[in-house]
Amino acid sequence: MFIYLCKKIAIPGNVRLRCISWNKDQGFIACGGEDGLLKVLKLETQTDEAKIKGLAAPSNLSVNQTLEGHSGSVQVVTWNEQYQKLTTSDQNGLIIVWMLYKGAWYEEMINNRNKSVVRSMSWNADGKKICIVYEDGAVIVGSVDGNRIWGKDLKGTHLCHVAWSSDSKVLLFGMSNGEIHIYDNQGNFIVKMKLSCLVNVTGAFSIAGIHWYHGTEGYIEPDCPCLAVCYDNGRCQIMRDENDHNPVLIDTGMNVVCIQWNHCGSVLAVAGSLKTTSQDKDVNIVQFYTPFGEHLRTLKVPGKQISALSWEGSGLKIALAVDSYIYFANIRPDYKWGYCSNTVVYAYTRPDRPEYCVVFWDTKNNEKYVKYVKSLISITTYGDFCVLATKADENQPQYVLVLCNSIGTPLDPKYIDIGPLFVTMTKTHVIAASKEAFYVWQYRVAKKLTAMEFNQVARTRKEGRERIYHVDDTPSGSAGGHLDYSRAIEFQGTRDPICAITASDKMLLVGRESGTLQHYSLPSVGMVQKFTLNCHAYQLSLNCNSSRVAVIDLSGVLTFFDLDTRVVTSTGEQMVGEQLKLERKDVWDMKWAKDNPDLFAMMEKTRMYVFRNLDPEEPIQTSGYICNFEDLEIKSVLLDEILKNPEHPNKDYIINFEIRSLRDSRALIEKVGIEESSQFIEDNPHPRLWRLLAEAALQKLDLQTAEQAFVRCRDYQGIKFVKRLGNLQSESMKQAEVAAYFSRFEEAERMYLDMDRRDLAIGLRIKLGDWFRVLQLLKTGSGDSDDALLEQAHNAIGDYFADRQKWLNAVQYYVQGRNQERLAECYYMLEDYQGLENLANSLPENNKLLPDIAYMFVRVGMCEQAVSAFLKCNRPKDAVDTCVHLNQWDKAVELAKNHNMKEIGSLLARYASHLLEKNKIFDAIELYRKANYFFEAAKLMFKIADEESKKRTKPLRVKKLYVLSALLIEQCHEQIQNAQKGKVKGKSSEAASALAGLLEEDVLSSTNRFADNAWRGAEAYHFFILAQRQLYKGSVQAALKTALHLRDYEDIIPAVEIYSLLALCACANRAFDICSKAFVKLESLETLRPEQRQQYEDLALEIFTRHSPKSNKKSDLDDMLDSIDGKLPVCVATGDPILEQRFWMCSVCKHCMKPKEASSRSFCPLCHSTI
């Protein structure tokens, strides 16, 4: 940063000032002094000179009001910005709160305790509470509307300072003995603050100031120190919070009277006086420090005694109360910024984020790109690229250099182990330096790298693209140099640290604090020469041919050193390098011209000077930072204004200045003529001036002068253009071409149309890409040759709308332009699938667009349309794959069969096994069923039924599963018979097909037990359920008959359940012989546990001791036993054998039922098919 005094205001009557405070929001300055002096001032910039913005704009006092009310010396003034109030107090203890009304300040409240004097007052961060401390230890906390919240008397203490924490939960009280006590916001004592800065201090001391930055503009680093405490003996400590045991310690070495943070907590100003050895009187100075204790600048202030200071709200000015004067100093901050490829890169902090917000603002297109970067150290730019230097990790001393392009995309990050305090870059190198070492990185930005090239880059990375050197080394440049941090850091510092660096394509200059300037060659990095400067360099800058270096020292003095001059000393030795005589003071920025080694621009206070051969032109009033100096034009950016509202940068804050030779040449051409100005440009040659002359000559169709000027400025396109103009016969044609050359396209088009050359007007608009105008021009004319152009125009306009995602508009133009490919894309984006289907139907077979349309349908799950499109372009394989992908297996099988594809079976098997692995058995069954693989589906269904049966699930559920299995087997049989019918032709087809079907079924039955009698499982559970229903209904004889059938199904239903049910039915029917046999069977079952077997035996004994195991009703069961032997069919409705000749048979399961039962039912009791 750079600081200089810029204005002085005298207080009438030579009244000494005691305090000053600058309102951060409204810009009012309140100053209090002896004899009750209280003034409110306001500095405002004059708006009549609209061109001059920022600090350079002249300012005057718009408000100068004296506030009457205090009689004693005004000692404390403090603002409440949120509620626009001013609070003041004097030596008599009188407190007045002032309010703003119609542009003037009036008393609102008065308070006088009459006991003691107010030493300090502080509003909290949101402006709702004020804390007032009196010298006698009284503390009052009041609200903004004047009500007292609480009061406390800290007995035995003398208070002198107070400060709120940012969250208003903590109060700091400074005592007159130098102690600082920490209290909560209710006035309860917590602890004394540890004051590390006072270790080994002897003698009396008192607190000069406590200032706690509240984070209103964000912090420059996460966990940044923000609480500053300073003593009158010059000792200062900056803490992260009130309990920080490791604060930043500073010894300012001066008598301090006042301290204050700037608006964003990045700079601490410490005001006081310093005893000088040469003079008896003290010198007033203001020291500026970072939150980490680094000294930035020193400002000397005239006068006897400085009493107070206050920052302006933007941090660009500081007000100093000295004797009976207010001095104003301008501050030129060291912003983190750069300029590359029409892009201004700048960083700022935000209160809602811990990182820096880095904005890449493209000034040409007025677009901005934002990146958030943690612990940003600096921004360096060159050409099209930018390097962001950041800290990698808070806990480790590692740093990152991130190479970015002009929109903030990171291209290549490099981790380094030295702190990049100074960074510079050239077209090929990035150089970063700490105080004792510098790191050289030869960066490479590839447009596109193949995998092989990328690997080569990775291999060569260590082979010389990165090197590090200690500043005390003298590298020869021949050795490659290595990335050896231990070698560079093992020196652990140097007696003569680095203070500035700069580089060009062929040299690197390293400035050291002693004034030594070390010259290294690039890219080899060999020590060439050491020069001696007469100052401690702060900023170095090389001109475009590396012949001169500009040096700005710490106090803002600009000097120049010629690196090529050879001087013979008085001893006869020949020396290289010479200090030039030019010297300028108060310089804070400078930039060499990119295309002229003798041309540079510099900023001196609020004036910009342009120098040619060390001679200055007249200055320009501006406070901008110089971005670029090229083509006799200086581009400057008003960063101060941009950073007042960094989220919305304004193009008005980019200012272009033309230097005098360019202005003079333009004036000569306009007023005198081409020939005379040609002579002036000959005397002051520059490509920009020759181009100016060429353009002026073109306007007047002086082709000879234009060609000569284009030759002088090496503009090959210009020369070709002049040659083409020379070949044109018509004068008006030439004028039209010139108008187009100067981007006056409307004028050129009008000229072409006046000449009846519509074709040229259309050609011009095509070159410009203005297809809307092309379409208009085409519609105004006639001719068959325009049809192709008309299509092209429609398609181009369609592209215009499609690029902006206005698909509906694009469709209209693509239809007219017959662009089926883009039309398909638009329909797809609009989700107009009907339109897409119509388009596919309208395309001829094997059209190259059909597969793309088919894949569009696939992506949205429209199988039928996708298949249709694939078949139309003769791609049945893709059609089948689509059906499989969309789970339309029946369609897939049908397609595979129609197109004789063999792989469908394996595909199905693969998918089914995938489903089975995921235990999705029902999905697999459904898959097989849809694909007409009924036998495979039946196998899986039988498996499920068996498993459910073993789990002893509800019998009805198991029956349903067995019925489904059997139905699948029936479908399988039907499929085989149908297939055989199709194969065999001729008269004997029925018999042959039946025989073939039977043979296939035999094969099936031999491979699976269920295929032989698919209905056994269903029968078993049907009779099992029927018997129990009949038993519970009281039809015991029918139940016994049904239960007897179950003896054939021991392989399906557990025997213990069958014979338990049979014994129960027989006992209920008093058929004790059957009951006895059932008990015998139960007792002989090996699956029973001994205790279960004992229970059966006890029950049998109990039954058969009462009833003989014989039955009188045996004859009734003869028919039943015959049917069991297989002689008679069984009725599935009742379980009775069917004795009649006529009976009903189900068409699906082939089971029988008595006619009487069949007439009363709608469904088959076994398979539930419709009767």
Side-chain angles (χ1 to χ4, degrees):
M1 64 176 279
F2 181 70
I3 183 163
Y4 60 91
L5 293 169
C6 62
K7 199 177 189 75
K8 175 181 174 184
I9 295 176
I11 301 299
N14 288 337
V15 180
R16 275 180 60 82
L17 294 175
R18 300 290 298 275
C19 50
I20 191 165
S21 181
W22 203 326
N23 185 314
K24 302 285 184 289
D25 289 350
Q26 288 92 28
F28 293 104
I29 303 164
C31 56
E34 294 174 350
D35 304 327
L37 171 85
L38 179 60
K39 279 181 108 47
V40 173
L41 315 169
K42 190 172 187 180
L43 276 181
E44 277 193 318
T45 53
Q46 294 172 0
T47 52
D48 52 347
E49 292 186 56
K51 285 189 177 178
I52 302 175
K53 297 185 178 75
L55 282 182
S59 59
N60 56 8
L61 282 176
S62 63
V63 176
N64 183 0
Q65 185 185 355
T66 303
L67 306 187
E68 305 289 344
H70 289 288
S71 54
S73 173
V74 178
Q75 295 179 328
V76 185
V77 292
T78 180
W79 288 102
N80 181 339
E81 279 101 349
Q82 287 83 350
Y83 292 91
Q84 292 192 4
K85 293 183 189 295
L86 170 65
T87 315
T88 60
S89 74
D90 60 26
Q91 68 187 61
N92 302 323
L94 175 67
I95 301 172
I96 303 179
V97 179
W98 308 84
M99 58 176 261
L100 182 65
Y101 179 70
K102 291 186 177 178
W105 292 88
Y106 297 95
E107 282 181 14
E108 184 185 19
M109 289 179 270
I110 295 181
N111 179 29
N112 196 347
R113 199 166 147 261
N114 289 326
K115 284 187 181 177
S116 180
V117 59
V118 175
R119 280 290 171 211
S120 182
M121 296 186 289
S122 177
W123 288 96
N124 70 344
D126 60 13
K128 289 181 180 174
K129 293 180 188 174
I130 187 170
C131 183
I132 304 165
V133 296
Y134 290 85
E135 193 174 46
D136 65 356
V139 177
I140 295 172
V141 173
S143 68
V144 69
D145 52 14
N147 295 320
R148 182 184 175 123
I149 296 172
W150 58 266
K152 195 157 192 171
D153 201 356
L154 307 180
K155 290 190 169 59
T157 59
H158 291 282
L159 298 173
C160 62
H161 284 280
V162 64
W164 288 94
S165 65
S166 56
D167 58 5
S168 304
K169 290 182 179 177
V170 171
L171 276 165
L172 302 182
F173 294 128
M175 310 295 171
S176 57
N177 63 0
E179 289 181 354
I180 296 175
H181 293 189
I182 303 170
Y183 282 71
D184 69 11
N185 59 2
Q186 298 303 313
N188 303 311
F189 175 74
I190 301 173
V191 73
K192 284 184 185 179
M193 184 182 283
K194 185 183 177 188
L195 298 167
S196 310
C197 63
L198 296 177
V199 176
N200 302 327
V201 171
T202 55
F205 53 82
S206 63
I207 300 170
I210 303 171
H211 193 195
W212 202 332
Y213 168 59
H214 289 157
T216 46
E217 297 284 328
Y219 295 92
I220 59 169
E221 249 189 52
D223 201 26
C224 178
C226 56
L227 168 57
V229 177
C230 196
Y231 288 84
D232 61 352
N233 61 7
R235 296 294 183 95
C236 182
Q237 71 181 41
I238 310 177
M239 310 166 73
R240 286 161 184 81
D241 55 54
E242 71 275 13
N243 299 313
D244 188 356
H245 292 299
N246 188 23
V248 174
L249 303 178
I250 305 170
D251 186 357
T252 61
M254 63 188 213
N255 293 324
V256 179
V257 294
C258 184
I259 65 165
Q260 197 178 22
W261 287 109
N262 70 343
H263 69 301
C264 63
S266 62
V267 180
L268 178 69
V270 182
S273 58
L274 188 66
K275 282 202 185 305
T276 54
T277 49
S278 56
Q279 299 169 323
D280 295 336
K281 63 174 184 175
D282 293 352
V283 178
N284 295 322
I285 60 168
V286 184
Q287 305 271 29
F288 296 87
Y289 295 92
T290 69
F292 304 98
E294 296 159 22
H295 180 255
L296 292 171
R297 291 279 165 168
T298 301
L299 175 69
K300 288 184 181 176
V301 186
K304 290 180 184 173
Q305 175 67 51
I306 188 166
S307 55
L309 69 82
S310 187
W311 287 87
E312 185 216 13
S314 63
L316 299 174
K317 278 181 162 51
I318 194 164
L320 309 165
V322 184
D323 303 333
S324 59
Y325 299 97
I326 302 174
Y327 286 92
F328 292 93
N330 278 350
I331 286 149
R332 307 311 298 128
D334 283 335
Y335 293 118
K336 292 174 170 50
W337 81 286
Y339 179 81
C340 59
S341 148
N342 290 316
T343 302
V344 177
V345 187
Y346 59 91
Y348 68 98
T349 54
R350 286 171 53 161
D352 57 337
R353 294 196 72 130
E355 312 99 327
Y356 267 93
C357 181
V358 181
V359 178
F360 291 78
W361 175 38
D362 183 342
T363 56
K364 200 171 182 181
N365 304 321
N366 204 20
E367 292 176 350
K368 64 185 182 68
Y369 309 89
V370 178
K371 269 173 77 73
Y372 289 97
V373 180
K374 210 171 176 185
S375 304
L376 180 71
I377 298 167
S378 66
I379 295 172
T380 312
T381 51
Y382 187 91
D384 295 339
F385 302 104
C386 157
V387 167
L388 305 178
T390 67
K391 204 170 180 199
D393 189 8
E394 291 169 24
N395 307 320
Q396 293 177 344
Q398 199 177 33
Y399 304 87
V400 197
L401 298 176
V402 184
L403 183 72
C404 300
N405 62 11
S406 60
I407 60 168
T409 308
L411 303 174
D412 197 0
K414 284 283 178 277
Y415 284 80
I416 59 173
D417 290 345
I418 61 168
L421 300 177
F422 316 100
V423 184
T424 188
M425 70 186 291
T426 70
K427 198 161 53 181
T428 52
H429 288 78
V430 172
I431 299 105
S434 64
K435 286 191 180 297
E436 60 278 322
F438 60 91
Y439 158 90
V440 181
W441 165 29
Q442 185 176 345
Y443 67 90
R444 189 174 93 180
V445 181
K447 298 284 180 278
K448 281 184 181 175
L449 287 178
T450 62
M452 189 185 289
E453 284 172 328
F454 193 79
N455 291 335
Q456 286 172 355
V457 170
R459 277 203 298 278
T460 56
R461 185 170 159 264
K462 293 282 193 284
E463 296 171 11
R465 283 183 62 201
E466 296 175 70
R467 289 165 288 177
I468 189 159
Y469 301 93
H470 195 275
V471 72
D472 292 334
D473 281 350
T474 50
S476 64
S478 56
H482 298 287
L483 193 61
D484 186 0
Y485 285 103
S486 57
R487 166 94 184 109
I489 296 165
E490 69 186 10
F491 291 91
Q492 292 299 322
T494 175
R495 288 183 180 176
D496 188 6
I498 297 172
C499 61
I501 63 170
T502 189
S504 66
D505 290 345
K506 52 188 179 183
M507 71 165 66
L508 164 66
L509 294 179
V510 177
R512 303 177 73 170
E513 287 184 4
S514 63
T516 303
L517 188 65
Q518 294 178 189
H519 170 193
Y520 299 87
S521 62
L522 280 181
S524 58
V525 194
M527 172 75 84
V528 177
Q529 188 87 26
K530 284 189 182 181
F531 306 104
T532 305
L533 303 174
N534 302 329
C535 60
H536 174 164
Y538 176 70
Q539 183 183 323
L540 298 173
S541 183
L542 277 163
N543 65 354
C544 62
N545 66 358
S546 306
S547 60
R548 286 179 179 174
V549 61
V551 183
I552 302 176
D553 70 8
L554 274 173
S555 54
V557 176
L558 172 66
T559 53
F560 293 86
F561 196 85
D562 197 312
L563 301 169
D564 293 345
T565 310
R566 298 186 178 274
V567 188
V568 179
T569 61
S570 54
T571 55
E573 289 181 48
Q574 194 178 50
M575 286 182 68
V576 178
E578 179 190 17
Q579 186 96 24
L580 301 178
K581 291 196 168 57
L582 179 69
E583 186 178 289
R584 301 291 293 201
K585 292 181 179 175
D586 293 328
V587 177
W588 52 270
D589 193 15
M590 77 84 57
K591 185 79 76 177
W592 289 98
K594 285 186 175 179
D595 45 17
N596 187 335
D598 297 325
L599 211 53
F600 69 88
M602 51 155 271
M603 295 300 304
E604 190 177 288
K605 293 189 176 177
T606 52
R607 290 184 297 277
M608 179 194 285
Y609 287 90
V610 177
F611 282 75
R612 182 190 290 274
N613 290 328
L614 306 184
D615 295 325
E617 294 180 5
E618 66 277 3
I620 303 160
Q621 284 289 118
T622 178
S623 61
Y625 287 72
I626 303 169
C627 294
N628 195 29
F629 189 0
E630 195 174 11
D631 271 351
L632 307 182
E633 247 187 314
I634 299 161
K635 184 174 274 192
S636 172
V637 56
L638 295 171
L639 280 173
D640 304 330
E641 304 305 307
I642 285 173
L643 287 162
K644 284 176 184 173
N645 187 8
E647 291 177 30
H648 303 100
N650 189 332
K651 267 191 163 181
D652 293 345
Y653 299 142
I654 298 286
I655 304 170
N656 290 309
F657 300 102
E658 294 184 345
I659 76 163
R660 191 169 64 196
S661 59
L662 183 55
R663 294 197 303 270
D664 291 353
S665 301
R666 185 170 278 122
L668 275 172
I669 290 168
E670 286 171 8
K671 291 173 185 170
V672 181
I674 287 174
E675 285 186 25
E676 291 79 356
S677 48
S678 175
Q679 188 55 48
F680 173 77
I681 294 169
E682 190 78 57
D683 298 338
N684 299 280
H686 191 280
R688 176 66 190 274
L689 300 180
W690 286 117
R691 195 177 317 124
L692 192 68
L693 181 67
E695 289 171 359
L698 268 182
Q699 299 274 26
K700 296 182 178 176
L701 294 180
D702 182 350
L703 299 186
Q704 188 182 352
T705 309
E707 187 175 2
Q708 288 170 355
F710 276 132
V711 168
R712 295 296 293 269
C713 65
R714 298 177 184 178
D715 185 343
Y716 182 65
Q717 280 82 5
I719 298 166
K720 293 280 283 182
F721 178 67
V722 172
K723 289 254 198 264
R724 189 156 62 82
L725 279 184
N727 294 332
L728 296 173
Q729 302 304 317
S730 162
E731 198 75 12
S732 53
M733 185 71 82
K734 288 180 183 177
Q735 285 174 344
E737 289 289 326
V738 169
Y741 180 81
F742 287 114
S743 302
R744 299 198 303 271
F745 303 116
E746 302 296 330
E747 187 184 326
E749 184 191 305
R750 197 167 54 251
M751 287 178 177
Y752 286 138
L753 292 174
D754 290 346
M755 288 184 278
D756 202 22
R757 289 300 303 270
R758 194 168 58 94
D759 58 326
L760 292 177
I762 290 170
L764 174 67
R765 288 298 173 183
I766 289 173
K767 277 182 192 170
L768 295 174
D770 185 357
W771 290 98
F772 289 96
R773 183 66 186 143
V774 170
L775 199 58
Q776 279 180 345
L777 290 168
L778 285 169
K779 285 178 179 175
T780 56
S782 60
D784 298 333
S785 59
D786 290 346
D787 284 355
L789 203 53
L790 206 57
E791 266 190 29
Q792 190 185 351
H794 280 126
N795 285 329
I797 295 172
D799 290 342
Y800 170 85
F801 284 120
D803 289 345
R804 285 151 185 78
Q805 298 189 355
K806 294 180 177 176
W807 308 108
L808 213 53
N809 301 34
V811 164
Q812 297 167 14
Y813 286 97
Y814 285 140
V815 167
Q816 289 174 302
R818 290 183 282 193
N819 190 338
Q820 292 156 334
E821 196 173 327
R822 294 308 299 270
L823 203 52
E825 189 185 330
C826 290
Y827 283 139
Y828 181 64
M829 297 309 289
L830 283 168
E831 299 180 16
D832 180 2
Y833 303 118
Q834 187 59 51
L836 198 59
E837 191 177 347
N838 295 342
L839 178 64
N841 293 338
S842 68
L843 291 172
E845 286 189 4
N846 294 323
N847 187 289
K848 63 175 184 177
L849 189 57
L850 281 167
D852 295 336
I853 293 176
Y855 283 120
M856 287 177 188
F857 284 127
V858 172
R859 283 196 287 272
V860 292
M862 296 175 74
C863 184
E864 195 177 323
Q865 290 85 345
V867 166
S868 169
F870 276 129
L871 293 178
K872 198 169 183 182
C873 61
N874 197 22
R875 289 170 68 166
K877 171 80 172 64
D878 289 333
V880 171
D881 289 345
T882 297
C883 293
V884 170
H885 177 65
L886 298 175
N887 282 331
Q888 301 294 322
W889 292 92
D890 46 350
K891 185 89 174 164
V893 173
E894 188 187 328
L895 281 170
K897 285 179 179 173
N898 291 347
H899 293 85
N900 297 321
M901 291 176 151
K902 294 177 182 175
E903 65 269 17
I904 191 71
S906 62
L907 201 64
L908 269 172
R910 196 167 72 242
Y911 184 53
S913 63
H914 167 72
L915 290 170
L916 291 171
E917 275 173 27
K918 292 190 169 182
N919 205 26
K920 294 181 177 177
I921 301 174
F922 281 107
D923 290 352
I925 292 167
E926 183 67 10
L927 169 73
Y928 279 131
R929 197 179 69 76
K930 275 189 176 179
N932 297 333
Y933 276 56
F934 298 114
F935 186 67
E936 298 295 329
K939 277 205 299 190
L940 288 174
M941 188 60 91
F942 274 125
K943 187 181 172 188
I944 291 173
D946 285 349
E947 284 173 4
E948 291 293 312
S949 169
K950 284 171 189 167
K951 287 181 194 169
R952 301 189 66 178
T953 314
K954 288 181 181 177
L956 185 60
R957 175 177 164 79
V958 180
K959 178 194 166 183
K960 286 176 183 176
L961 291 168
Y962 276 123
V963 167
L964 283 171
S965 313
L967 286 171
L968 287 167
I969 288 288
E970 292 298 333
Q971 282 178 289
C972 178
H973 291 322
E974 193 180 334
Q975 187 186 30
I976 291 167
Q977 286 166 7
N978 289 342
Q980 291 305 325
K981 276 179 190 171
K983 279 183 196 172
V984 183
K985 291 174 184 176
K987 289 181 183 178
S988 60
S989 63
E990 268 188 52
S993 66
L995 182 61
L998 287 170
L999 286 171
E1000 280 210 28
E1001 287 183 29
D1002 279 349
V1003 173
L1004 283 180
S1005 63
S1006 64
T1007 57
N1008 196 295
R1009 68 187 180 91
F1010 291 114
D1012 184 28
N1013 192 351
W1015 292 97
R1016 264 180 63 75
E1019 287 167 9
Y1021 274 92
H1022 174 71
F1023 289 131
F1024 186 60
I1025 294 164
L1026 182 62
Q1028 294 185 63
R1029 280 183 184 155
Q1030 289 169 333
L1031 181 63
Y1032 279 103
K1033 215 159 71 174
S1035 307
V1036 288
Q1037 189 170 2
L1040 178 60
K1041 287 179 185 178
T1042 307
L1044 281 166
H1045 290 299
L1046 294 174
R1047 291 179 299 176
D1048 288 345
Y1049 301 106
E1050 286 183 31
D1051 56 332
I1052 294 166
I1053 301 174
V1056 65
E1057 292 196 16
I1058 291 172
Y1059 289 106
S1060 297
L1061 180 61
L1062 184 58
L1064 190 62
C1065 293
C1067 190
N1069 202 28
R1070 306 191 71 77
F1072 293 111
D1073 56 339
I1074 297 174
C1075 184
S1076 170
K1077 286 176 186 174
F1079 268 106
V1080 169
K1081 189 75 175 173
L1082 280 168
E1083 287 167 19
S1084 66
L1085 287 174
E1086 294 176 2
T1087 54
L1088 290 180
R1089 295 196 301 277
E1091 60 267 25
Q1092 286 178 316
R1093 188 175 284 114
Q1094 187 61 47
Q1095 284 175 336
Y1096 281 125
E1097 286 173 2
D1098 294 346
L1099 185 60
L1101 188 64
E1102 192 179 335
I1103 292 169
F1104 295 119
T1105 48
R1106 293 182 191 177
H1107 305 283
S1108 171
K1110 290 179 182 176
S1111 176
N1112 301 325
K1113 299 180 182 179
K1114 190 171 182 183
S1115 58
D1116 298 342
L1117 296 170
D1118 285 345
D1119 298 338
M1120 182 72 225
L1121 295 169
D1122 286 346
S1123 74
I1124 290 168
D1125 293 339
K1127 292 174 187 172
L1128 297 170
V1130 180
C1131 174
V1132 287
T1134 59
D1136 287 347
I1138 300 172
L1139 303 171
E1140 294 93 337
Q1141 289 295 318
R1142 296 183 66 190
F1143 51 83
W1144 176 87
M1145 181 183 278
C1146 176
S1147 61
V1148 176
C1149 63
K1150 306 294 187 288
H1151 284 70
C1152 305
M1153 194 163 43
K1154 289 180 179 178
K1156 188 174 77 172
E1157 294 293 332
S1159 63
S1160 63
R1161 293 173 188 270
S1162 305
F1163 300 98
C1164 170
L1166 180 64
C1167 69
H1168 293 267
S1169 58
T1170 310
I1171 292 175

